């Protein structure tokens, strides 16, 4: 593909995301009481992302495509078709991501702006935990009687003991450098 082909693709994609951004911008400007602050924030975030994309990567890509088509600018190197393909491979996922966000906004709009529960199977932190019976057998059994109850009084006693030992250690010069370990009483 050459610069003309990419300029045509770029024009098409820009029209799509610009029209969506304009439509949602008009919606935010209305006094629709169903649009709470969270919804307005989500819409404005996507519109902002579109504006950044249009003024940043897409503008840069358009310049590269135009230089490829003109091939007359002697001051700067002329981007090759393969350069444009590489840049498009980097840029198009950004366009696609914005389009996905608009699709999610469309879904919320269709559901009267109710939040949509999302589940990403690729997000390790967002997967539901499935504990197999075999895994349960491997997990250590917790014995409630083995837990050491800690009360405020025992913690206060331990803190007092530690303070006393620190004061004693500060007052005396301990040449042996013995190590003492303090353990809470059972």
């Amino acid at each position: 593909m050459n610069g003309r082909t990419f300029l045509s693709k770029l024009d098409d994609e820009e029209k799509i995301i610009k029209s969506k951004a304009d439509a949602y911008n008009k919606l935010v400007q209305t006094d629709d009481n169903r649009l709470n602050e969270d919804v307005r924030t989500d819409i404005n975030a996507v519109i902002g992302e579109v504006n950044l994309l249009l003024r940043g990567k897409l503008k840069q890509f358009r310049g590269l495509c135009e230089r490829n088509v003109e091939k007359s600018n002697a001051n700067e190197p002329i981007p090759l078709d393969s350069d444009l393909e590489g840049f498009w491979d980097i840029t198009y996922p950004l366009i696609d991501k914005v389009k996905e966000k608009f699709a999610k906004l469309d879904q919320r709009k269709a559901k009267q702006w109710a939040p949509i529960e999302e589940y990403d199977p690729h997000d390790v932190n967002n997967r539901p935990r499935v504990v197999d019976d075999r895994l349960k057998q491997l997990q250590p059994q917790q014995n409630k009687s083995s837990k050491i109850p800690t009360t405020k009084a025992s913690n206060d006693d331990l803190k007092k003991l530690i303070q006393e030992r620190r004061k004693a250690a500060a007052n005396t010069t301990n040449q042996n450098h013995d190590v003492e370990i303090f353990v809470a009483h059972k």
Side-chain angles (χ1 to χ4, degrees):
M1 285 193 267
N2 60 17
R4 281 187 175 75
T5 307
F6 280 117
L7 281 171
S8 175
K9 281 185 170 188
L10 187 59
D11 288 338
D12 293 343
E13 295 297 335
E14 281 183 347
K15 283 179 190 174
I16 292 169
I17 62 176
K18 277 183 184 178
S19 67
K20 281 287 197 181
D22 290 342
Y24 275 105
N25 197 20
K26 287 177 186 174
L27 185 65
V28 169
Q29 301 300 325
T30 64
D31 290 332
D32 191 348
N33 59 357
R34 293 176 299 164
L35 296 176
N36 62 28
E37 194 62 33
D38 289 337
V39 173
R40 290 179 190 274
T41 301
D42 290 347
I43 293 171
N44 286 328
V46 177
I47 292 171
E49 196 170 330
V50 167
N51 290 334
L52 286 173
L53 188 60
L54 291 172
R55 292 182 191 137
K57 289 280 185 202
L58 298 185
K59 183 178 179 181
Q60 182 183 10
F61 185 60
R62 180 173 296 285
L64 292 173
C65 291
E66 289 170 353
R67 284 199 337 241
N68 175 273
V69 170
E70 293 169 5
K71 298 185 194 289
S72 63
N73 192 348
N75 296 339
E76 297 179 24
I78 297 171
L80 303 174
D81 293 345
S82 60
D83 296 334
L84 297 179
E85 288 175 11
F87 200 91
W88 181 252
D89 289 343
I90 293 170
T91 307
Y92 187 74
L94 301 173
I95 296 169
D96 201 34
K97 184 178 176 184
V98 167
K99 289 163 75 175
E100 286 176 14
K101 289 181 179 184
F102 277 127
K104 288 179 184 177
L105 286 175
D106 290 341
Q107 287 176 345
R108 285 188 74 182
K109 184 178 178 185
K111 294 186 177 193
Q112 306 301 319
W113 301 108
I116 297 174
E117 292 292 325
E118 295 183 26
Y119 169 69
D120 184 4
H122 302 292
D123 185 1
V124 176
N125 296 325
N126 198 18
R127 287 190 210 162
R129 291 221 28 173
V130 178
V131 180
D132 192 352
D133 288 335
R134 294 173 291 171
L135 290 176
K136 286 181 183 178
Q137 292 172 359
L138 295 176
Q139 293 176 349
Q141 298 295 322
Q142 290 187 357
N143 187 354
K144 291 183 181 180
S145 63
S146 69
K147 289 186 179 177
I148 301 171
T150 57
T151 62
K152 185 172 175 15
S154 65
N155 284 339
D156 289 342
D157 291 341
L158 183 60
K159 286 178 185 177
K160 202 182 275 186
L161 178 65
I162 291 171
Q163 285 177 344
E164 289 172 3
R165 296 291 173 112
R166 283 184 180 161
K167 285 179 185 176
N171 292 336
T172 64
T173 55
N174 190 353
Q175 298 297 330
N176 295 338
H177 299 290
D178 291 339
V179 176
E180 295 181 281
I181 298 175
F182 301 103
V183 180
H185 296 289
K186 291 185 181 181

